[in-house]
Structure formats: C-alpha cells, structure tokens
Amino acid sequence: TTFVSGSTIGGVEGGNNETIAFTYAGTQFIGSVYHDDQLYSTSLNGGSVATFGTPLPTGGDPGEVVVGASLGNGGFANGAVYAGAENGGKIWKYSSSGGSPTLFATLPAGSGDVRQILFDPGSSFNGNMLVSTDNGHIYRIDSAGNVTPLANIGVDTEGMDIAPTGFGSFGGDLLVGSEAAGTLHAIDSSGNVSVVGSAGEFPGAETVSAIPTGLDTSNLLEGFYVANYPTDIQFAAASNFTGIEGDVIVTDESAANTLWDIHWDTVTSSFDKTQFTLTGNSVGQFEDGIFVTPLRASEGASVTPEPSSLILLGTGLLGLAGSLKRKFFS
C-alpha cells in the first residue's frame, strides 16, 4: 500500500518526488529524494510531511542521498541520524530535531562515493557504522569517526545487511549486493570475502534486507517501508512475512517488480532463491527501505533528545505473495 504519496513528498521537496531513502527515526520517518540535499520527515502514520534540517553541504548535485542511524551500540548515541551523498566521501550527522548537519567522518581519498550506511545491530562488527561505496570499498567507522577499511569488493556496492544466524557459516556476516555485477558477497568481521551469489546471479542487485524474526502482525507500525523510485513510499505489513522470517531479500534495480527471497536450506547446505509475486500497487524501482521491528520500535520510543533521532537503513521490498521459480546455488 502507499504510505506517503509522491505528491505529498513533492509538495515539500519543490516538486521532486524521486524517492531514494526512507528510514525509521523512532518518533518519525526520514527520507531523501534524488539530486537534492534536502531531507524530509513524516509522522509515524505517513502524514505531517515536512523538510528535515538544513540541506547537506555537498557543494553540488548530491546524487543519491542515503541515511542511517545508530542503535545505541558501540559508543554511538541511541538514535543519532547520519547522511551521506553519492557525490562525495563524507558522512554528516543531524540532531533529532534537524538543524544544521555537522561533519562526522571523511572516507580516504579514492574511496568513491557513499552508497549505503548501515549500523551493526549486534556484536559482529562491534556496533560500528558500516559504509559501502561505488568503488566497492566497505568501511567500518567507530563512534569517534575513525575510518577503518573492512574489504574491497571491486565493483559498485550498495545494499547491505547482517546475515541472520540461520544462514549457516554466513550467519552474522555482512551481506553486500553489487548491481552492476549482479553479485552477492558475505564479509566476516576480519574482512574475509565469500561469494554468495556469483556474477549475474542477482541482476541489478540494489538492496539487501534480512527479514526479522519476531515481527508482531498485530502492530500496524511493524513491517517494511521502501522508497519506490521515482514515485512514492510503499509499505508491506508484517503479516506478509509470516513463514519466511530469517530469510534475506534482494531487489533487482534492472527490472520493475523483481524481488528475491533468499533462504538457507539446511538439507543441502546451500541457498535457494525464490522470486516473489508482488500484489497491491504498481511499483517501479526498489531503493532503500527499513523493517520496523519490536526491537526498533522500543528503541525508538526510548530515544532521548540528544543530537539524535532513530533511523536505520535496510533495503528493498514491497507487499508480496506466492512464489515463482526456485533454484539452488552455492
């Protein structure tokens, strides 16, 4: 279903409704649109859309602007909001009320442009911020803004999430998707890289998102929210994911309505890939999104008005039902 209409977003973004990022911020949602430094916010029911903070000081066309927020791990304040632009290797920090952003971290020269920001929700990466770039570099950044290289995939890398514990030896690894190569890789905390989906296995791999366990189907806030480029924001309720909790979603940027469910098969010790059949509204291209879960909902409720507000970056999906072809791969 439509959570925020394009006309509403365009009304506060100067007519621009080319949605790119959309994240949960505890007491609000925060989003971005293409080629625009200005973020926007919405209430938890998708209403009260307004500009959020002052524009990012990128000094030019920002391209795709991504956002993420800390979860109170690794020395990061609970709910601090961070943003990065596609046209530069800088990460900026906002307070929960918006205001002017401050520079938090700068990636090393030659790193490429920021493509995704994710906060480790557990202990695999010590609660660090994880950042991917268009050159394939993956970085860890601690709460003091210190940047440490984790791995280099070598191709444009955007979508990221932590593999569920049920994913065999990959459980707890960082899963990253590369749209140009159509690959899916797993990276452990030491920076060792494994191929999960080989070249062409995931054409246009845009976003990677683990389906949380423990979703409450009676809580209307919980479920998946996604930027439906170039139109609006869509929502898939928690009930859509019953029976596939703990799987991983990968979206295909090269084709509309293409969304894959990746499941670890304990019998074959391999993954099987199922294409979802999407129902509901017509969709375009999946961009960034977020699952709102019981844990994140409670974290959001406890956000204190420091330089913060709770967000998180996940990655791509829409209402779903049924499946099409299924195949195995190593």
Side-chain angles (χ1 to χ4, degrees):
T1 59
T2 300
F3 186 68
V4 188
S5 70
S7 60
T8 302
I9 295 168
V12 301
E13 289 284 0
N16 184 354
N17 64 309
E18 295 182 311
T19 50
I20 292 296
F22 194 71
T23 62
Y24 176 65
T27 58
Q28 61 188 333
F29 289 93
I30 308 247
S32 68
V33 293
Y34 203 17
H35 302 301
D36 201 321
D37 287 313
Q38 180 64 61
L39 304 181
Y40 67 92
S41 65
T42 86
S43 61
L44 294 182
N45 64 5
S48 304
V49 180
T51 56
F52 178 80
T54 61
L56 290 169
T58 61
D61 183 349
E64 296 184 11
V65 174
V66 296
V67 287
S70 56
L71 299 172
N73 298 328
F76 285 93
N78 186 14
V81 178
Y82 299 82
E86 189 179 15
N87 77 340
K90 292 181 170 60
I91 307 293
W92 304 85
K93 182 180 179 180
Y94 282 95
S95 74
S96 59
S97 59
S100 298
T102 57
L103 184 61
F104 171 69
T106 301
L107 303 184
S111 299
D113 302 331
V114 177
R115 296 287 273 155
Q116 190 65 280
I117 299 171
L118 173 75
F119 278 89
D120 175 26
S123 59
S124 295
F125 298 90
N126 299 322
N128 286 171
M129 173 192 288
L130 301 165
V131 175
S132 62
T133 76
D134 66 343
N135 285 349
H137 292 279
I138 313 296
Y139 293 99
R140 299 174 63 159
I141 305 179
D142 65 19
S143 59
N146 298 309
V147 180
T148 303
L150 176 63
N152 185 1
I153 305 301
V155 291
D156 184 8
T157 299
E158 186 168 354
M160 301 186 292
D161 208 349
I162 304 299
T165 55
F167 261 48
S169 61
F170 298 117
D173 286 0
L174 178 67
L175 295 179
V176 299
S178 301
E179 61 187 66
T183 56
L184 187 65
H185 290 88
I187 307 171
D188 67 19
S189 58
S190 297
N192 299 307
V193 179
S194 302
V195 175
V196 177
S198 56
E201 193 77 56
F202 293 97
E206 170 72 6
T207 54
V208 179
S209 188
I211 303 173
T213 58
L215 285 172
D216 182 358
T217 58
S218 68
N219 186 335
L220 299 181
L221 177 65
E222 293 183 23
F224 194 81
Y225 300 79
V226 62
N228 176 33
Y229 177 85
T231 308
D232 53 25
I233 302 298
Q234 294 286 312
F235 170 65
S239 58
N240 287 281
F241 307 98
T242 301
I244 57 172
E245 300 93 336
D247 286 0
V248 169
I249 291 165
V250 177
T251 65
D252 181 354
E253 184 179 81
S254 64
N257 299 300
T258 303
L259 181 69
W260 302 99
D261 171 32
I262 312 305
H263 176 74
W264 175 258
D265 191 297
T266 56
V267 175
T268 62
S269 295
S270 64
F271 296 93
D272 63 82
K273 182 174 89 172
T274 306
Q275 185 177 346
F276 289 118
T277 299
L278 304 181
T279 61
N281 292 332
S282 172
V283 297
Q285 177 179 308
F286 296 105
E287 288 289 341
D288 296 339
I290 175 131
F291 275 101
V292 175
T293 66
L295 176 60
R296 288 176 185 163
S298 64
E299 287 168 336
S302 65
V303 168
T304 56
E306 276 189 316
S308 332
S309 178
L310 203 256
I311 297 182
L312 188 31
L313 196 286
T315 64
L317 177 244
L318 213 283
L320 59 101
S323 62
L324 296 178
K325 71 177 184 180
R326 179 173 291 260
K327 77 176 201 177
F328 288 89
F329 62 97
S330 59

